């Protein structure tokens, strides 16, 4: 309707503000970050010094960079797997009919709407070494103190579990919606064919929700790889960089060590990696679907 | 029609509020910014009043930004590096000050100091670099040890003088009557996380023991045989001490040291005068049960304390002159008021203050006269040291070691990663070298 | 009752506790007397005190942070609604390739993490004098809310029956009139969802606020709360009280507007 001859300028007008914003506030910063990464810069207003790929070479030689990359993968993978597993379980539960279901559905979404800061604060309070409720329960249960943030493994586990707590509702809600679109007849047909609950799940549910599953896994994977706030607020990347992933490394380089070129290089690497995955995703699943 | 108008009106209104200035009263002729990292509410209150009074006098308003101490250096440095420096600021740790000064970010305060007279200042507090003094230090904040006199008496302990005695004392104070493995009370708490708290509270044992970070040529001495021996001895000692500490030492910042001691979760803790204020407020029943001491050396021959020090700086910027003038006014007119907000914690840096009648007459100074004596004693009887003041002269290099958290990481490697002590020392030396060359 | 039923109820109870307990604990802590705060665990609320709230509201700058958050979130939401509605409509109705390109670019932008953009954005804003301003913060929020809005509304407009619009046009209605009288009212659910999400993203943002704002006068609530974590005196009571203040509006949205909220989540996930 808008493609008519006399109204050719209209779509342009409508698109202009958003396009402008995207250009200035998204495209430009990305290009600027890439440009910054080729310079050595120690202050935000200082004069940059060209080092070409020097920042990158330095990064690739540093164990700290590879550690951050690995941590990013571990965090991303672990949170995805757990979110999907838990999300499916909760969705299946909410698909059943029982009194109070609507209330439960509301409750399950609460973690998702909370600001990251509130989540981080509340969990740090719950896990406070001496006074936290969960610490005290753990002490009573095991008879020994649990150092939640004392070892790299434990710290990563805590960060993963809190992230899962926060974002599973997204998965479970999407899944629930997908489950509701499965026609009842499919279940019936399977039941008539003698399939038990497990088989019904495997052969009716899974295939029907497969497209949603793929979307969710990819999207959440990308997002989790780049979550800054929750990890930063829980552990600052510690102990000893055990939970430091690329976003945190970028932040530390820029604002603690004032190696702005280095921070930009890490950000650029992250961006290229993500752009690659997004391109792959859009190639496999083009935007216009019937 | 109505809906569109409403929508447009709403958008315009909300965007407009962003531009309308917040206060409707008389505008000051100039609004500048102060960065403050003292988080005590009384101190903040006092600073706000000082700012209001100064505005009434000169028409220049200083907006106060209070920041948490751990983020203060980053915030100040970022403001300088972003071209919008704060016009006056207080900051902790001289090492950070010198780094900023070297970078050309600060205005020298030498005239201000000389007007007061360098003799009036105590030892090891001015740190002139490149012939200038870059800050006005307002307190000493020595990190010292607090212990429960009543528990020591119960166990028949006296003030420990060596590592061994110290360890025995903390072990004796661990209270686990039912042998659950999770005591009701631990021996001591000392932070080990990579932050300023650990840098300040955990390493004074080393100064007592004669540890030196650099030689006269600024070579890193960490892995030299004599220093390495001291560090290994310290790590071994600390490892045993760690077993008497409550969980979460890698997570605690400044505040937990206060709360753990006050809630009777530990028999010993490290802090400065703020601890006394904290006890007065939250655990009055302990105010007559605590003692103070400096950190012991390994063999008991000396004691040490860690510098804590806070000072005012004037970042270099378009309004430095105004910041300087404000500071002059503040230090002449309001210094005692400032001290009074947390009098036992802001240990004066000038001899004349100790004789100031108002300061002396404060009820807490009178009540805790014995502790004030001990604090004054630190100035003369102990080895005063800190990571960021190591080396033959004031310089930025130890500050880099400080900001790089070399020492906390060394301890973390030993007690968390359980690397052998030798290896921890080697890694620390490597990192220190990397940061200072 | 069959075992299946029992299991169901047990599972439901477990999920309820799992989801809601931390929030419950937050509320309990925010009103618990300080002398009992550090004691042995007590699940039941009380002894009560309101001192944390009064300290927070009276002594700290928290009210100002709250006001800043409201301003930024409201402005972000309004601008997002207007701009993304226009864009989504244009893309849904036009046939040109250019429009698709714009949306694609926005999509890439959406998939970029805030931190990636925040640092160069901060440097850029500094040079044009927008650093440490609410306007700068609002603009940075738009970079995350606009793509989401376009994404959500594009789907709505695509599925919207074009025939209704064309009928109105044929009947002599102007383009703008059609948009206003037919399209807009029927897209209200989509707009509501977009508005809620835009508000949520802006209200809860920490990363952009951390970089774009440094003065106390312009801090938003997430930043103010996070800053309380490192101070010399630990104030769990006040921190939980602040958390409660920030959370209550969100819980209200969830309670009363859940239909559009949940709808948005599913629409977003089912896209593509």
């Amino acid at each position: 309707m808008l493609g008519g001859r006399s109204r050719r300028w209209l779509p342009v007008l409508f698109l202009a503000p958003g396009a402008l914003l995207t250009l200035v506030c998204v495209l430009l910063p990305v290009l600027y970050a890439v440009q910054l990464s080729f310079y050595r810069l120690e202050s935000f207003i200082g004069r940059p010094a060209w080092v070409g790929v020097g920042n990158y070479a330095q990064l690739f030689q540093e164990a700290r960079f590879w550690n951050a990359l690995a941590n990013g993968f571990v965090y991303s993978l672990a949170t995805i797997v757990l979110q999907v597993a838990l999300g499916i379980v909760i969705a299946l539960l909410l698909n059943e009919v029982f009194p109070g279901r609507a209330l439960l559905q509301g409750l399950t979404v609460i973690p998702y709407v909370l600001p990251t800061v509130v989540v981080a604060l509340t969990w740090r309070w719950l896990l406070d070494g001496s006074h936290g409720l969960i610490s005290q329960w753990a002490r009573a249960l095991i008879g020994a103190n649990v150092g939640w943030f004392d070892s790299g493994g434990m710290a990563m586990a805590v960060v993963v579990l809190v992230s899962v707590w926060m974002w599973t509702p997204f998965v479970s809600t999407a899944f629930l919606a997908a489950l509701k679109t499965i026609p009842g007849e499919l279940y019936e047909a399977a039941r008539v064919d003698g399939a038990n609950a497990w088989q019904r799940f495997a052969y009716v549910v899974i295939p029907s929700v497969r497209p949603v599953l793929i979307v969710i896994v990819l999207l959440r994977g990308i997002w989790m790889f780049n979550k800054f706030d929750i990890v930063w607020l829980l552990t600052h990347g510690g102990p000893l960089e055990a939970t430091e992933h690329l976003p945190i490394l970028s932040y530390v380089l820029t604002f603690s060590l004032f190696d702005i070129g280095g921070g930009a290089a890490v950000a650029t690497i992250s961006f290229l990696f993500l752009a690659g995955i997004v391109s792959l995703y859009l190639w496999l699943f083009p935007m216009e679907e019937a | 029609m109505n809906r569109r108008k409403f929508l447009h009106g709403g958008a315009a209104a909300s965007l407009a509020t962003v531009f309308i200035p917040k206060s409707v009263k008389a505008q000051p002729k100039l609004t500048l910014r102060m960065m403050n990292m003292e988080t005590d509410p009384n101190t903040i209150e006092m600073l706000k009043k000082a700012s209001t009074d100064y505005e009434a006098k000169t028409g220049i308003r200083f907006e106060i930004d209070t920041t948490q101490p751990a983020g203060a250096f980053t915030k100040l440095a970022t403001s300088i590096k972003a071209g919008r420096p704060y016009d006056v600021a207080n900051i902790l740790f001289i090492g950070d000050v010198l780094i900023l000064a070297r970078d050309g970010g600060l205005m020298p305060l030498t005239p201000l100091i000389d007007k007061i007279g360098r003799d009036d200042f105590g030892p090891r507090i001015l740190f002139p670099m490149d012939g200038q003094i870059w800050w006005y230090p307002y307190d000493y904040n020595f990190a010292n040890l607090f212990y429960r006199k009543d528990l020591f008496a119960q166990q028949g302990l006296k003030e420990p003088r060596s590592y061994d005695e110290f360890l025995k004392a903390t072990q004796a104070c661990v209270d686990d009557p039912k042998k659950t493995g999770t005591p009701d009370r631990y021996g001591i708490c000392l932070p080990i996380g990579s932050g300023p708290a650990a840098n300040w509270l955990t390493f004074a044992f080393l100064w007592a023991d004669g540890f030196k970070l650099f030689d006269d040529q600024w070579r890193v001495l960490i892995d030299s045989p004599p220093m390495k021996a001291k560090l290994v001895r310290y790590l071994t000692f600390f490892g045993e001490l760690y077993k008497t500490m409550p969980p979460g030492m890698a997570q605690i910042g400044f505040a937990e040291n206060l709360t753990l001691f006050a809630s009777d979760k530990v028999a010993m803790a490290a802090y400065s005068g703020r601890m006394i204020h904290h006890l007065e407020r939250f655990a009055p029943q302990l105010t007559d049960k605590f003692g103070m001491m400096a950190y012991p050396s390994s063999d008991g021959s000396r004691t040490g304390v860690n510098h804590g020090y806070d000072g005012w700086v004037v970042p270099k910027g378009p309004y430095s002159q105004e910041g300087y003038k404000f500071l002059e006014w503040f230090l002449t007119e309001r210094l005692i008021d400032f001290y009074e907000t947390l009098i036992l914690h802001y240990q004066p840096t000038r001899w004349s203050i100790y004789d100031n009648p108002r300061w002396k007459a404060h009820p807490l100074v009178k009540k805790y006269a014995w502790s004030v004596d001990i604090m004054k004693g630190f100035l003369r009887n102990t080895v005063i040291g800190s990571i960021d003041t190591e080396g033959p002269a004031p310089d930025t290099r130890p500050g880099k070691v400080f900001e790089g958290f070399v020492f906390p990481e060394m301890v973390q490697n030993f007690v968390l990663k359980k690397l052998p002590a030798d290896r921890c020392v080697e890694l620390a030396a490597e990192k220190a070298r990397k940061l200072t060359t | 009752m069959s075992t299946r039923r029992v299991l169901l109820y047990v599972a439901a109870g477990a999920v309820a506790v799992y989801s809601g307990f931390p929030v419950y604990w937050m509320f309990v802590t925010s009103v618990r007397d300080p002398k009992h705060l550090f004691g042995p665990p007590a699940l039941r609320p009380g002894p009560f005190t309101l001192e944390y709230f009064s300290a927070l509201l009276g002594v700290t700058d928290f009210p100002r942070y709250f006001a800043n958050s409201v301003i930024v979130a409201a402005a972000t939401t309004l601008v997002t609604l207007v701009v993304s509605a226009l864009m989504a409509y244009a893309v849904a109705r036009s046939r040109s390739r250019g429009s698709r390109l714009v949306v694609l670019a926005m999509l890439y932008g959406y998939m970029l993490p805030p931190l990636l953009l925040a640092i160069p954005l901060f440097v850029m804003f500094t040079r044009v004098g927008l650093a440490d301003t609410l306007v700068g913060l609002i603009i940075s929020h738009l970079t995350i809310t606009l793509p989401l809005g376009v994404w959500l509304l594009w789907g709505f407009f695509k599925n919207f029956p074009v025939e209704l619009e064309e009928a109105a046009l044929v009947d002599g209605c102007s383009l703008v009139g059609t948009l206003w009288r037919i399209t807009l009212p029927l897209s209200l659910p989509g707009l509501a969802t977009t508005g809620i999400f835009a508000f949520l993203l802006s209200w809860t943002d920490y990363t952009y606020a951390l970089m774009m704002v440094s003065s106390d006068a312009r801090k938003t609530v997430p930043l103010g709360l996070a800053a309380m974590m490192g101070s010399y005196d630990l104030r769990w009571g006040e921190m939980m009280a602040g958390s409660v203040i920030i959370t209550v509006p969100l819980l209200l949205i969830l309670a009363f507007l859940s239909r559009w909220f949940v709808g948005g989540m599913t629409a977003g996930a089912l896209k593509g």
Side-chain angles (χ1 to χ4, degrees):
Chain A
M1 180 183 86
L2 284 182
R5 205 166 304 143
S6 62
R7 303 209 179 91
R8 202 149 273 179
W9 52 269
L10 210 57
V12 179
L13 179 68
F14 281 10
L15 289 172
L20 195 67
L21 192 93
T22 307
L23 193 73
V24 172
C25 293
V26 176
L27 225 59
L28 226 62
V30 171
L31 292 174
Y32 189 48
V34 176
Q35 191 199 28
L36 272 180
S37 71
F38 295 125
Y39 289 85
R40 172 142 297 143
L41 187 61
E42 274 186 8
S43 97
F44 296 110
I45 50 167
R47 203 171 300 258
W50 174 264
V51 289
V53 293
N55 286 327
Y56 292 94
Q58 194 167 359
L59 272 180
F60 292 140
Q61 281 171 3
E62 264 202 62
R64 190 170 184 175
F65 169 75
W66 297 106
N67 176 57
L69 193 63
N71 283 338
F73 276 117
V74 168
Y75 175 69
S76 192
L77 228 63
T79 47
I80 296 293
V81 168
L82 288 173
Q83 278 177 40
V84 170
L86 202 56
I88 293 183
V89 168
I90 293 181
L92 287 173
L93 177 66
L94 289 174
N95 204 23
E96 302 284 332
V97 178
F98 55 89
R101 181 180 67 159
L103 181 63
L104 185 65
Q105 184 162 358
L107 272 178
T108 58
V109 178
I110 286 180
Y112 185 75
V113 305
L114 296 176
T116 319
V117 171
V118 169
V119 173
L121 275 181
T122 309
W123 279 98
R124 279 188 71 163
W125 170 230
L126 282 167
L127 293 173
D128 180 75
S130 298
H131 305 122
L133 188 68
I134 296 187
S135 298
Q136 299 194 38
W137 283 345
R139 245 200 307 278
L141 214 65
I142 313 178
N145 285 312
V146 186
W148 305 107
F149 300 102
D150 280 349
S151 78
M154 275 305 291
M156 180 61 90
V158 169
V159 167
V160 166
L161 290 174
V162 173
S163 304
V164 168
W165 183 80
M166 242 190 110
W167 282 296
T168 301
F170 185 87
V171 178
S172 63
T173 310
F175 256 89
L176 188 61
L179 282 178
K180 287 197 193 301
T181 65
I182 300 178
E185 303 86 60
L186 281 178
Y187 285 116
E188 275 313 304
R191 200 181 315 229
V192 161
D193 282 350
N196 64 24
W198 272 121
Q199 289 165 324
R200 281 203 301 273
F201 180 72
Y203 294 114
V204 176
V205 175
I206 297 280
S208 310
V209 302
R210 223 184 62 130
V212 178
L213 188 63
I214 293 176
V215 171
I216 287 181
V217 167
L218 258 154
L219 282 183
R220 301 254 32 117
I222 294 168
W223 280 322
M224 297 318 294
F225 191 76
N226 289 287
K227 280 283 172 228
F228 171 73
D229 341 17
I230 189 67
V231 184
W232 177 254
L233 288 168
L234 280 174
T235 61
H236 282 291
L240 290 169
E241 288 130 39
T243 55
E244 183 178 273
H245 56 345
L246 287 183
I248 290 187
L249 180 59
S250 180
Y251 181 82
V252 168
L253 281 173
T254 310
F255 290 100
S256 265
L257 301 173
F258 290 105
D259 175 12
I260 299 173
V266 173
T268 307
I269 293 173
S270 263
F271 163 66
L272 287 175
F273 178 69
L274 282 174
I277 297 205
V278 170
S279 307
L280 185 70
Y281 166 67
L282 288 175
W283 178 62
L284 289 175
F285 310 101
M287 271 196 313
E288 34 268 295
E289 270 213 322
Chain B
M1 236 10 177
N2 295 330
R3 257 176 300 184
R4 184 202 301 187
K5 274 219 178 99
F6 177 74
L7 214 69
H8 287 182
S14 64
L15 281 177
T17 57
V18 168
F19 296 108
I20 292 175
K22 292 268 182 297
S23 83
V24 194
K25 55 182 169 98
Q27 288 299 308
K29 80 176 178 211
L30 185 60
T31 302
L32 300 177
R33 303 188 307 158
M34 172 200 305
M35 190 188 89
N36 165 52
M37 52 88 223
E38 292 290 353
T39 56
D40 182 84
N42 291 335
T43 309
I44 296 178
E45 187 83 38
M46 179 266 161
L47 287 173
K48 285 193 178 155
K49 177 161 191 316
S51 161
T52 316
D53 292 346
Y54 191 77
E55 183 184 349
K57 186 168 113 80
T58 62
I60 301 179
R61 176 195 291 176
F62 276 85
E63 272 186 6
I64 303 178
D65 269 353
T66 302
T67 182
Q68 38 161 328
F73 174 63
T74 299
K75 190 162 177 165
L76 189 58
T78 304
S79 79
I80 294 175
K81 287 176 189 275
R84 288 185 77 227
Y86 283 96
D87 306 289
V88 71
N90 58 44
I91 192 158
L92 63 179
F93 301 117
I94 183 64
D96 290 339
V97 172
L98 295 178
I99 290 178
L100 291 173
R102 234 336 130 58
D103 260 357
L106 297 180
M107 192 175 151
L109 298 182
T110 323
L112 199 150
I113 303 283
D114 282 336
K115 210 157 38 160
I116 298 172
R118 298 195 197 194
D119 289 343
D120 195 22
F121 285 87
R124 290 201 65 163
I125 196 69
L126 288 175
F127 301 105
M129 184 177 79
D130 299 336
Q132 301 276 17
I133 298 177
W134 298 98
W135 72 342
Y136 175 94
Y138 61 82
D139 70 13
Y140 265 110
N141 256 341
F142 291 120
N144 60 267
L145 294 161
F146 287 82
Y147 64 94
R148 292 278 299 278
K149 271 195 315 211
D150 55 331
L151 297 175
F152 270 38
Q154 257 174 40
Q155 305 288 332
L157 300 163
K158 54 182 190 24
E159 266 186 23
R161 285 266 163 265
S162 66
Y163 282 4
D164 281 337
E165 280 178 30
F166 194 84
L167 187 58
K168 286 205 181 63
T170 52
Q171 284 166 342
C173 288
V174 175
D175 187 27
D176 190 6
K178 303 189 204 91
K179 297 274 173 279
T180 57
T182 56
D184 297 330
R185 185 199 309 115
Y186 291 84
I188 187 173
C189 65
L190 289 169
I192 63 173
S194 293
N199 274 337
W200 178 47
L201 297 170
T202 307
F203 301 106
F205 297 101
L206 294 173
W207 319 130
D209 222 24
F211 174 83
K212 297 243 163 290
L213 180 54
F214 297 105
D215 68 6
D216 285 344
Q217 311 298 321
W218 289 105
R219 279 186 291 251
V220 170
L221 290 176
I222 291 181
D223 49 357
S224 68
M227 296 305 146
K228 188 172 192 176
K230 290 188 207 282
L231 285 176
V232 169
R233 195 160 42 225
Y234 168 75
L235 283 174
T236 320
F237 161 62
F238 195 88
E240 293 304 304
L241 216 57
Y242 188 70
K243 296 181 187 156
T244 69
M245 296 188 199
M249 291 294 101
Q251 285 290 99
I252 65 173
F254 290 101
E256 290 85 343
N257 298 282
L258 300 168
T259 52
L260 285 170
F261 189 74
S263 58
D264 194 26
K265 285 277 184 324
V266 291
M268 295 184 78
Y271 219 86
S272 59
R274 193 187 300 265
M275 174 68 85
I276 305 179
H277 288 275
H278 186 88
L279 293 177
E280 280 271 315
R281 187 166 164 216
F282 292 104
Q285 74 280 9
L286 290 181
T287 51
D288 56 351
K289 298 193 175 70
F290 75 91
M292 285 167 60
M293 55 175 273
Y295 295 70
S297 63
S298 56
D299 58 358
S301 57
R302 279 175 311 180
T303 56
V305 289
N306 204 92
H307 259 123
Y309 23 27
D310 308 290
W312 291 96
V313 295
V314 177
K316 214 186 268 181
Y319 297 105
S320 302
Q321 284 304 326
E322 296 304 329
Y324 186 93
K325 283 198 263 192
F326 173 83
L327 194 58
E328 268 200 302
W329 172 83
F330 184 80
L331 295 173
T332 329
E333 306 287 323
R334 298 297 164 99
L335 189 57
I336 305 292
D337 296 302
F338 179 76
Y339 282 141
E340 281 179 336
T341 59
L342 206 63
I343 199 147
L344 294 171
H345 176 69
Y346 299 140
Q347 182 176 349
T349 47
R350 287 159 53 186
W351 300 111
S352 56
I353 309 271
Y354 292 94
D355 294 324
N356 178 291
R358 249 175 75 195
W359 191 87
K360 282 202 304 193
H362 194 283
L364 285 176
V365 169
K366 288 200 176 137
K367 180 172 178 187
Y368 293 100
W370 63 271
S371 123
V372 173
D373 281 338
I374 294 183
M375 290 195 235
K376 265 176 98 169
F378 290 151
L379 290 167
R380 295 188 233 264
N381 314 337
T382 64
V383 180
I384 302 174
S386 57
I387 298 172
D388 53 329
T389 59
E390 279 293 290
D395 191 88
T396 57
R397 274 168 280 208
K400 302 247 170 80
V401 175
F402 181 90
E403 280 295 325
F405 304 119
V406 170
F407 284 84
E409 281 184 12
M410 181 181 73
V411 172
Q412 287 167 37
N413 277 326
F414 187 69
V415 300
L416 296 182
K417 270 202 173 150
K418 307 242 191 322
L419 296 179
D422 276 18
R423 184 84 187 109
C424 298
V425 174
E426 276 165 37
L427 289 169
E430 253 177 58
K431 187 159 187 187
R433 268 190 200 107
K434 196 165 122 184
L435 289 167
T436 57
T437 41
Chain C
M1 218 176 5
S2 65
T3 4
R4 192 167 177 276
R5 274 274 106 172
V6 170
L7 280 174
L8 205 69
Y9 286 135
V10 168
V15 169
V17 169
Y18 159 84
S19 300
F21 184 76
V23 178
Y24 169 76
W25 193 240
M26 173 178 90
F27 275 92
V28 167
T29 305
S30 71
V31 289
R32 176 163 284 169
D33 186 83
K35 287 191 258 307
H36 291 87
L37 211 54
F38 295 113
L43 284 181
R44 214 166 301 213
F48 292 100
T49 177
L50 282 176
E51 63 188 83
Y52 305 126
F53 284 97
S54 62
L56 204 64
L57 297 171
V59 175
T60 67
D61 277 328
F62 203 81
R64 180 180 288 186
Y65 303 158
F66 194 84
N68 287 339
S69 277
V70 170
I71 292 172
V72 171
T76 304
T77 306
L78 266 150
V79 175
T80 302
L81 281 175
V82 172
V83 175
S84 62
L86 292 177
M87 284 194 75
Y89 189 75
V91 175
R93 293 282 177 262
S94 99
R95 271 170 268 258
S96 76
R97 293 261 303 273
S99 58
R100 296 236 184 282
L101 215 65
V102 172
V103 176
L104 206 65
M106 295 192 98
L107 214 60
Y108 271 95
Y110 182 47
M111 303 221 172
L112 289 178
L115 194 76
L116 228 61
L117 294 178
I119 295 175
L121 217 74
F122 173 69
V123 180
M124 279 166 57
F125 278 3
T126 304
R127 294 192 193 219
V128 299
L130 272 181
D132 198 28
T133 61
L134 289 184
V135 174
L137 188 58
I138 293 172
I139 296 178
S140 65
H141 282 179
L142 289 174
T143 63
I144 21 174
T145 59
L146 277 186
L148 185 67
V150 171
W151 182 246
L152 283 172
L153 291 174
W154 177 48
F156 263 85
F157 288 136
K158 219 168 52 137
N159 297 329
F160 188 79
V162 187
E163 304 80 51
L164 271 178
E165 289 175 3
E166 293 185 341
L169 282 172
V170 162
D171 278 353
C173 206
S174 71
L175 176 64
V176 178
T178 313
L179 286 177
W180 188 249
R181 247 164 276 207
I182 310 265
T183 321
L184 208 58
L186 288 171
S187 336
L188 229 40
L191 289 174
T193 306
T194 305
I196 291 174
F197 269 92
F199 182 82
L200 208 74
L201 285 170
S202 178
W203 182 258
T204 62
D205 164 71
Y206 171 74
T207 312
Y208 277 124
L210 179 66
M211 312 244 191
M212 302 297 160
V213 161
S214 55
S215 305
D216 279 359
R218 278 166 281 285
K219 278 205 183 110
T220 55
V221 178
L223 215 54
L225 266 185
M228 288 171 84
M229 275 207 282
S231 62
Y232 284 124
D233 16 33
L234 205 58
R235 316 194 122 199
W236 282 116
E238 278 89 342
M239 289 197 275
M240 290 298 113
S243 302
V244 165
I245 294 179
I246 212 187
T247 303
V248 166
L250 301 170
L251 292 179
L252 288 174
I253 289 182
L254 186 60
F256 294 112
L257 303 175
S258 62
R259 188 158 52 112
W260 292 310
F261 178 74
V262 172
M265 282 168 77
T266 51
L270 293 176
K271 266 284 158 270

